[in-house]
Structures are given as C-alpha cells and as structure tokens.
C-alpha cells in the first residue's frame, strides 16, 4: 500500500510493528515501533516552516509582514519554539518564485535538513499554531504527504485544459486561502526532480491545480489528502482561516480617478457593447470604446490601428499613449478590458484603495511563462478575434514608465499581454496578482471558491446570459458608493 493511501498518518508496517510490540512477540520490533512513535510525537513548531505567499508590491509586503508578526507573537504567548516564517518574495530576487515550483529547490537547500513540514499560506490566511501542530501530529513526517482543503472541478474546465474530462471531480487540488502542507521528504524529492526534468508546459496558469498535478506526477506521487482542519471560514478545530479576498483599506478610489478603456470591434457592436451598457458601464465616470471603425451611436474611437485576428499589441499601446495625453482626464488609474468582460467597478475601486497610485502598479490575474528558465509574469485573460487578451489595471506611473522605456510591440498583432509582461519584467516592475479577476465564467471555477470571493470580474458570454451572471455575481445590493 502506498504510504499516501494509509489512513490517519500511519502506514501498514508501523501498525504491524506496534501490534507485535504489544503482543510481546518481538522486543526488537516493539522497541523500533516505540522509537518511531516517539519521534512522531516529538514534533514541535520549530520543525515547521510556514511560507507566506507574499508579493513584491508594497501593500502586499506590508500585509505579509503583519501576518508573519502575528504568527511569531502567537508562538511567544504560547511559550513555545516559533516556527520559521518565510516570506516567499524574500527567498530569491527572481520574481518567478511566486509559482512555487521554482522555490522548492531553494526551500529544500535552506531548510530541508531541519524542517519536517512546509506549510504554504496566502497573505490573508490566519494560522492557529496549537491546531496546526495537532493536525500535523496525525501524519508521519518521514513519509510523503500533501495536505489541504480540497477543491475539485465538477465539470471539465477550460482553465485546466479539460484535464480529467471523464471524471473531473476525482482529482483534488488545494484551496490556497486555507493553506496547504507538504512533508519534508516530499519537498526534497520535488526539489531534486526539478533539477533533472522540464515541466510539461512553459505556461503557469492556475497555480493551485498545476502544483497538485506536479506533485501527483500521473500517479507516481501522492494525491491531495483532504483535511477539515485547513479552513477558509471559521469553525471548530481549524488550524487556518482566511480573512477576506477584498480587503478594507478605507474609502474607495474616486470614480474620477479611474479611466476605463473597452476594446471592441465592428463585429461585436450589436451584441457585446449593449451588454456592457446594460450592466457595469453606468458605474464608470469616464469610459471609452475603442474599435476598428467609428460608430457614433456607441460612440467608438478609432486609433489608426487595424483590427487583427490574434494579439492586439498595437491597439493596447495606442490606448496607453492616449491615456497619457490630454484627450482623457488626468486620472491615476487605467483599466483596459475587452467587450465581453463583466466587471464590478465599485469593488475594483474598493480594491484599488489598497494600492499606492504613486507606485508602478500592474494588477490583474497573473500568469507566467518559462518561470523555471528565468521567464516572466504577465496579466492575462481570454483570447480570440476582436478581443484584447486581458483585464488589466495600471497606475499612471506604470504606464508612464513603460511608454518612456522604449519597450514596444514587435508587430501590431503580437500578444499584448505577454509583450507587456516582458516589458514590465525588464523594467523591474512587479506584476501583482489578485484572485478576484477571472479569465473565464463563474461555472468554470469550483463553486466553493467563487461563492466566497466577491469577485471583481469574469469573462466570456459563451453559453451564459451575461446580464444574469452580472446580477448574480457582481452587482451589489448595497449602495455602490459604500464599496
């Protein structure tokens, strides 16, 4: 029996040794079992490394540092040895460590010999150290374990490339808000594996699912063991809980400080643009529609860049250039979306109050390319004809630095999201991730995940009524100015 199929953290051999010891049939076997059990029972918080998945933006650094100090203060009050708390962005100057897999060798080299467990948490995850210790005591740290709050796809999902299409609910992956844990032997083996094996894809898309796939290794490694003690919402015996996906940083950013650019084309003037106007456009102080043709009934603006079938780099750079001239208000933030994006602008303004507009901020749903080979991160979304390739939020400072850098499209139909990602990486501007932005429809995500998020955006009208989706998932019943 594989150790990860054993229940309660003990494998069959250990159980047999314990039974033989109690039966008195073998003093040697009983002594070995007692030593094994004592080693397991002696697990202390000092044997645990807690990795907070921090980001380089100043707001996220501050939140992660606060969470670290909470954990250290808690251990001090308990009078116990503190766990080692590591901020992910601190372990390497390379920004790609956010994708975790490149961080495994670094964590193994630094802490692999002294630690027994590695626990990964979000910046908003709160940890109860006594409950965490009790949880980890249930599992033998000398074996390979992968623990977490289990998420699953009820239907084959495009964001997971329709993996396990015959039985998508059979594969579990961790909810990062609840935290997840791996035993030291598993992390060490993964670290060795990375040095000798390329990833199957150069793209990092949905981190939590891809980590689970990498650990599972097509059945050669452990699947996720679901544990009720890793929680999002508070309940009895929780080792972790999550604070909020939409932090409260004070008054929302003013409507006047946000310029919204909607990218469209003639093909979608009659079906997608009316949805924008019927749902979220009314929450924008200043919004412009950019198309390949001028249509005064909308109205649209043409930028002298022809529409392309794939990649819209030229159009995106033209929008950013316009944002910096006197044609639009001197706002602090630029939001670029495509015409089949559904977005809550009140929630976005609430979120933006956490960020310093005097910093270069690039915000959205983050992907990665070639992150094991010094690649780059970028803000992503959908693809296809007439569409932009992302929902991205940029501070004026970020746009100014980009446009003055000389970094540009190598052709008008280049993939704008990846070109921008490469440019920002070269400028040392971090790409900041928020799980509140979604590249697909609500049905493409686990309901237990999206139902607690208060999402900022979803994407695509395919096989859904977009107005119903907006009203159910994004429209708030409270007064919008309260958000």
């Amino acid at each position: 029996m594989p150790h990860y199929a054993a229940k309660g953290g003990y494998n069959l051999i250990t159980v047999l040794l314990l039974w033989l010891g109690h039966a008195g049939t073998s003093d040697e076997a009983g002594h070995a079992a007692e030593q094994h059990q004592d080693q397991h029972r002696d697990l202390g918080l000092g044997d645990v490394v807690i990795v907070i998945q921090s980001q380089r933006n100043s707001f996220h650094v501050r939140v992660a540092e606060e969470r670290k100090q909470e954990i250290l203060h808690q251990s001090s009050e308990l009078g116990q040895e503190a766990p080692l708390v590591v901020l992910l962005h601190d372990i390497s100057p390379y920004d790609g460590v956010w994708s975790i897999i490149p961080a495994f060798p670094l964590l193994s080299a630094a802490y692999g010999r002294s630690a027994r467990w590695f626990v990964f948490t979000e910046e908003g995850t709160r940890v109860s150290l006594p409950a965490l210790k009790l949880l980890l005591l249930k599992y033998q740290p000398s074996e390979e374990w992968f623990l977490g709050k289990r998420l699953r796809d009820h239907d084959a999902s495009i964001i997971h490339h329709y993996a396990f299409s015959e039985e998508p609910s059979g594969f579990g992956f961790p909810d990062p808000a609840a935290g997840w844990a791996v035993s030291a032997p598993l992390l060490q083996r993964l670290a060795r594996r990375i040095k000798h094996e390329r990833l199957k894809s150069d793209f990092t898309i949905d981190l939590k699912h891809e980590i689970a796939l990498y650990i599972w290794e097509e059945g050669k490694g452990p699947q996720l063991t679901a544990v009720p003690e890793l929680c999002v919402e508070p309940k009895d015996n929780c080792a972790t809980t999550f604070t909020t996906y939409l932090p409260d940083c004070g008054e929302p950013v003013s409507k006047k400080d946000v310029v919204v650019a909607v990218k469209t084309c003639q093909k979608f003037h009659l079906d997608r643009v009316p949805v924008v106007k019927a749902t979220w456009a009314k929450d924008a102080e200043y919004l412009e529609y950019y198309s390949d043709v001028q249509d005064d009934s909308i109205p649209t603006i043409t930028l002298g860049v022809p529409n392309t079938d794939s990649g819209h780099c030229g159009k995106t750079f033209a929008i950013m250039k316009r944002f910096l001239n006197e044609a639009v208000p001197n706002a602090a933030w630029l939001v670029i979306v495509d015409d089949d994006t559904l977005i809550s602008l009140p929630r976005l303004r609430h979120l933006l109050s956490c960020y310093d507009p005097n910093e270069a901020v690039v915000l959205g749903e983050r992907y990665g390319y070639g992150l094991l080979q010094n690649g780059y991160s970028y803000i992503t979304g959908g693809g296809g004809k007439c569409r932009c390739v992302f929902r991205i939020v940029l501070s004026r400072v970020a746009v100014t630095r980009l446009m003055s850098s000389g970094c540009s499209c190598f052709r008008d139909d280049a993939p704008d999201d990846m070109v921008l990602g490469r440019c920002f990486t070269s400028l040392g501007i971090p790409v900041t991730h928020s799980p509140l932005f979604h590249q697909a429809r609500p049905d493409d995500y686990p309901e237990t995940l999206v139902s607690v998020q208060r999402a900022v955006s979803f994407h695509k009208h395919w096989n859904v009524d977009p107005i119903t989706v907006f009203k159910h998932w994004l429209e708030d019943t409270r007064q919008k100015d309260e958000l």
Side-chain angles (χ1 to χ4, degrees):
M1 176 188 295
H3 63 266
Y4 43 84
K7 302 297 183 183
Y10 290 95
N11 60 25
L12 182 59
I13 294 174
T14 302
V15 174
L16 287 173
L17 287 173
L18 287 170
W19 182 82
L20 289 170
H22 288 302
T25 57
S26 171
D27 291 339
E28 183 178 351
H31 181 65
E34 289 172 5
Q35 281 187 323
H36 199 170
Q37 195 175 36
D38 287 343
Q39 181 188 30
H40 184 45
R41 189 165 48 232
D42 288 342
L43 176 76
L45 291 174
D47 299 316
V48 179
V49 176
I50 298 177
V51 182
I52 299 176
Q53 294 173 234
S54 55
Q55 303 189 68
R56 298 184 190 279
N57 173 272
S58 65
F59 164 69
H60 292 274
V61 171
R62 184 169 66 253
V63 172
E65 187 61 42
E66 289 173 358
R67 201 67 65 235
K68 175 179 178 178
Q69 294 306 317
E70 285 178 7
I71 294 171
L72 297 178
H73 179 69
Q74 187 182 163
S75 64
S76 176
E77 287 193 329
L78 292 170
Q80 296 186 20
E81 183 181 3
L84 184 62
V85 185
V86 178
L87 302 187
L88 185 60
H89 79 276
D90 278 343
I91 71 173
S92 170
Y94 175 50
D95 190 55
V97 294
W98 67 263
S99 62
I100 304 295
I101 293 177
F104 284 155
L106 300 173
L107 292 169
S108 178
Y111 315 112
R113 293 188 176 183
S114 57
R116 296 188 186 182
W117 288 96
F118 292 82
V119 179
F120 294 82
T121 67
E122 295 280 286
E123 296 162 359
T125 307
R126 284 203 160 94
V127 179
S128 167
L129 292 179
L132 179 63
K133 181 177 178 179
L134 288 175
L135 166 62
L136 297 179
L137 277 169
K138 296 180 180 181
Y139 301 90
Q140 182 53 255
S142 61
E143 300 174 356
E144 293 191 355
W145 288 100
F146 177 30
L147 312 177
K149 179 182 184 293
R150 186 179 185 189
L151 298 174
R152 64 182 76 191
D153 291 327
H154 291 289
D155 298 300
S157 173
I158 187 173
I159 61 172
H160 299 149
H161 300 289
Y162 301 104
F164 308 99
S165 57
E166 294 184 358
E167 191 182 352
S169 64
F171 184 77
F173 50 98
D175 185 338
W180 51 280
V182 295
S183 58
L186 175 57
L187 184 135
Q188 289 167 343
R189 182 173 65 80
L190 295 173
R192 293 191 298 269
R193 179 181 161 202
I194 291 166
K195 295 179 181 179
H196 306 292
E197 180 182 311
R198 286 182 59 88
L199 295 179
K200 291 187 175 180
S201 173
D202 288 328
F203 289 90
T204 300
I205 297 175
D206 186 22
L207 180 60
K208 55 189 177 293
H209 192 267
E210 289 161 20
I211 286 173
L213 280 175
Y214 189 77
I215 291 174
W216 176 61
E217 198 179 355
E218 297 182 344
K220 299 176 185 176
Q223 284 203 45
L224 180 73
T225 296
V227 292
E229 295 91 343
L230 296 178
C231 314
V232 172
E233 298 176 315
K235 58 184 180 181
D236 292 341
N237 303 318
C238 282
T240 59
T241 53
F242 194 70
T243 52
T244 179
Y245 287 95
L246 189 59
D248 184 2
C249 298
E251 287 296 315
V253 167
S254 169
K255 288 183 178 182
K256 296 179 180 180
D257 273 330
V258 181
V259 168
V260 181
V262 179
K263 295 172 72 174
T264 186
C265 65
Q266 185 177 23
K267 178 180 178 180
F268 297 123
H269 285 187
L270 296 179
D271 55 358
R272 293 184 179 177
V273 170
V275 172
V276 174
K277 292 189 173 187
T279 54
W280 58 268
K282 60 184 178 293
D283 293 320
E285 179 84 7
Y286 194 89
L287 181 150
E288 291 185 328
Y289 297 90
Y290 296 96
S291 183
D292 53 338
V293 297
Q294 186 169 331
D295 184 340
D296 293 337
S297 68
I298 293 176
T300 61
I301 295 172
T302 58
L303 297 168
V305 180
N307 191 61
T308 54
D309 286 343
S310 62
H312 308 280
C313 195
K315 194 172 187 178
T316 298
F317 270 73
I319 289 173
M320 292 188 294
K321 181 178 179 181
R322 178 177 171 85
F323 176 69
L324 295 180
N325 66 33
E326 296 179 358
V328 298
N330 187 28
W333 300 98
L334 171 64
V335 181
I336 306 177
V337 301
D338 58 2
D339 53 12
D340 62 346
T341 294
L342 298 172
I343 188 169
S344 169
L345 291 178
R347 292 180 191 175
L348 176 62
R349 293 189 295 107
H350 186 113
L351 178 63
L352 289 180
S353 68
C354 296
Y355 296 92
D356 185 351
N358 296 312
E359 291 183 15
V361 178
V362 180
L363 178 67
E365 185 179 16
R366 180 179 54 191
Y367 280 15
Y369 178 75
L371 294 181
L372 282 182
Q373 295 84 34
N374 294 316
Y376 56 90
S377 306
Y378 61 98
I379 298 299
T380 191
K385 294 185 178 181
C386 268
R387 303 215 301 262
C388 74
V389 196
F390 48 79
R391 273 73 55 206
I392 190 169
V393 182
L394 301 164
S395 66
R396 177 171 290 272
V397 174
V399 177
T400 300
R401 285 188 58 184
L402 174 64
M403 299 304 288
S404 63
S405 70
C407 198
S408 62
C409 309
F410 51 88
R411 59 177 187 268
D412 283 345
D413 65 348
D416 43 1
D417 55 352
M418 297 183 75
V419 170
L420 286 178
R422 192 168 55 190
C423 289
F424 286 126
T425 297
S426 68
L427 292 171
I429 297 174
V431 171
T432 302
H433 174 72
S434 169
L436 302 181
F437 295 83
H438 301 85
Q439 64 132 325
R441 308 161 304 168
D443 289 348
D444 294 314
Y445 300 89
E447 185 177 0
T448 54
L449 181 66
V450 295
S451 62
V452 297
Q453 282 187 334
R454 295 191 70 206
V456 166
S457 73
F458 290 103
H459 181 230
K460 298 178 182 176
H461 297 174
W462 181 65
N463 280 355
V464 297
D465 176 358
I467 294 178
T468 300
V469 170
F470 177 81
K471 288 182 176 180
H472 180 76
W473 292 101
L474 296 168
E475 188 173 54
D476 291 288
T477 56
R478 73 182 73 179
Q479 290 295 317
K480 292 177 175 57
D481 285 341
E482 294 178 4
L483 286 174

